[in-house]
Every structure is written in structure tokens, then in C-alpha cells.
Amino acid sequence: GTSCLIPGLFFSLFGPVTAKTAFLFILPQYNVSVPTADGEQVQYHYGLKDLVTILFYIFIAIILHAVVQEYALDKINRRLHLSKVKHSKFNESGQLVAFHLTSVIWCLYVVVTEGYISNPRSLWENYPHVYLPFQVKFFYLCQLAYWLHALPELYFQKVRKEEIPRQLRCIALYLVHIAGAYLLNLTRLGLILLLLQYLAEFFFHMARLVYFTDENNEKLFNVWAVVFVVTRLFTLTLYILVMGFGLPRVENQTLDPERGNFFTCLFSAPARMSVLLLVCLFQASVMWRFIHFQLRRWREYWNEQSSRKRAAAAAGAKQQAKPLKRDSGYHENGVVKAENGTSPRTKKLKSP
């Protein structure tokens, strides 16, 4: 139903408008020519018109969500015959696997082509990074559109009431971090952090999908545990490197909203230590939840194994206690006697 409703709504809204107005919805706005060593390059900054572009891609995200649900997840669900709780979690993980895989590939392409990985100094050099390449700005607009589209999807997917607070917290955290990096001109650092976060989330939701298809297969959860710990370490290292050592060395340390400098003025020694302390506390809380999850998972695994051993031991003891089947008679002086006391007749052998 959603896949048919949204295209009709889209064409009713944007059918009569001119091509010039349509570009306002489709393409990023606020392009400027920035002089470079090789000449001039078209780059972008942000403004209120970005909200119109984000609105357009919210509709696109709703359509893609419905396509993935109808043509992939619903068909798999019919074969698995999952319960209502598992059905809801399977749909959630299926959608997020598709999104995280796409975002990891896209984000990796952006950071490699822009040279943010090969040159880590570019994460803080020449801050504030007011002007963005097309692919960086477009990536951020699509990310904001996706997480905003997740709000109406809570209604379309008929998410259970007890699941809504958890999903709202997740959506809010992503929106705050992505919008914060975009508006505070920390887009380069934000790209690397999103890449690490999405990589860990992809393995987690992929492990859940495999678990729903085969509850005895938990190998991908072990892979996710390793990836999660590694990405947390890289994330904390990046925070310390950029916020503790990189940004404090930027020449312009004054607050200048007109030029996009919102952040460096916070990096006096006490403020820098407070920010890093908050970051460390947040990462510590994430690791604590992860350790708690792993301990609970291992406890459930060992309880299941011990219950299976007890069941097997009880079955073996029951089998040993079962009485042995006796012959139809009894032995007397080495000869089998019938129950009436007579000896059984011997069978004559035919001569060859």
C-alpha cells in the first residue's frame, strides 16, 4: 500500500512545477566556486533550503523501505514462519542490513576519494570546513533523510509499543550526531565515525538475521563482538586525536559563526579535558552495555548446554534402569526348561 501511495503523492506535489523548482528538491543547494591550486572547484555549504532537499529524499527513503520490505523481507518471512516478536525484529534487522551495507560502501568510497584516510591531518587542518564537495554534502543530506524517514515508519510498520522507546532513542542519537557534525563543520570527522559505527551495526544485524534463520548458528555474533571492540577503540582514538591534539592547534581559536567557526573556542585546557571526559564516559557506557550483553548471552548459552547435559544424563539413567528382557523359560542344570517345567523338544536335523 505504501509503495503505491507515495509515488501518487509525489507526482501530485511535483508534477506541475517547473524544472528549476524541481532542482531545488533533487539537487543540493548553495553551490559556490572556490579557488584551488588547479583553478576553481564547485563546492557547497549549508542553509535552510537543505530542508526542502531532505524532505524530497525522505519520500524516496519511504519508497525504498517499502520495496525492500515487500520484495525481499516479506517473502523470506513467509518461509521462516516466525513469531510476531521475531517477525518484527527480523524486519528491523533486514532493513538496517540493507541501509548499513549501502552506507558503508558509499561512505568508504567518499573518504577514500577525498583523501581523508590517506591524510589524517585533513580531519582538522583548515578548520572550519565550511565548503563541502558535492558527494560529502549529498551523503549527509541522504543520511538525515533516512533517519527522519524512520519516524513515520514506526507507524507504517506497526512497531510494538514496547519497542518504540528504544527505536526513538536510536533515531534521536543518529540525528543529533549527524546533524551536529554537519552544522558544526566537522563533516570529515563525522564521516570516519559513521563508517566505523555502520560497520559494527552491519555485522550485528547480519548476525541477528542468521540467528533467526538458524538459532544454533551464532558464529556471526562472535565476529560482531570483535568488530565492535575494534571500532570502539578506533572511535576513541579518533576523538582524542582530533579533539585533544588536532583542533587545539588550529590558528583561528575565536568564535566566528559567520565563518562557521563554532568549535575551536571551546578548546581551552579545562574545556578540552571536559569534552574528552564526556566522550570517554559515553564510550565507557557503550562498552558496559556491550559487556553486559555478552555476559548475558554466554550465561544463556552455558545454561542451555548444562540443561542439555542433564537431560542426556537423565535419559541414560532411565535407559539403564529399564529391566532386561528374560527368555520364555528358565535354566536348570544348564538346560532351558519351559515355563511348565518340561524340556523343549529338540529339532531333528535332516540328513544331507
Side-chain angles (χ1 to χ4, degrees), residues 159-260:
V159 177
R160 296 163 61 238
K161 290 183 179 180
E162 52 268 27
E163 286 289 320
I164 290 178
R166 178 185 63 83
Q167 295 202 25
L168 284 177
R169 285 195 299 269
C170 179
I171 294 169
L173 283 173
Y174 274 113
L175 286 174
V176 167
H177 282 80
I178 295 171
Y182 185 63
L183 296 176
L184 295 175
N185 299 312
L186 289 168
T187 50
R188 300 180 183 182
L189 175 62
L191 282 171
I192 305 295
L193 295 178
L194 276 178
L195 177 61
L196 295 171
Q197 176 66 20
Y198 285 165
L199 186 63
E201 288 292 307
F202 168 75
F203 279 101
F204 173 72
H205 290 287
M206 194 67 198
R208 280 218 304 185
L209 289 181
V210 173
Y211 175 76
F212 289 140
T213 57
D214 180 10
E215 294 188 355
N216 294 321
N217 191 345
E218 296 187 0
K219 294 180 180 179
L220 266 181
F221 278 111
N222 298 327
V223 177
W224 164 71
V226 175
V227 173
F228 182 87
V229 173
V230 172
T231 53
R232 289 303 100 190
L233 291 175
F234 271 104
T235 298
L236 187 58
T237 303
L238 270 177
Y239 270 119
I240 295 174
L241 179 64
V242 175
M243 296 185 178
F245 298 98
L247 288 176
R249 297 182 181 181
V250 175
E251 294 181 0
N252 186 11
Q253 297 288 332
T254 58
L255 179 64
D256 192 355
E258 292 185 0
R259 295 184 179 181

Side-chain angles (χ1 to χ4, degrees), residues 37-55:
D38 300 329
E40 288 187 350
Q41 185 179 11
V42 177
Q43 294 191 344
Y44 298 80
H45 58 95
Y46 61 78
L48 289 176
K49 291 181 181 179
D50 289 344
L51 297 176
V52 180
T53 310
I54 291 172
L55 178 63

Side-chain angles (χ1 to χ4, degrees), residues 69 71-82 90 213:
Q69 184 67 43
Y71 293 100
L73 298 179
D74 285 346
K75 291 183 177 180
I76 298 173
N77 272 318
R78 292 190 197 102
R79 297 180 182 179
L80 295 177
H81 304 289
L82 299 174
F90 183 89
T213 57

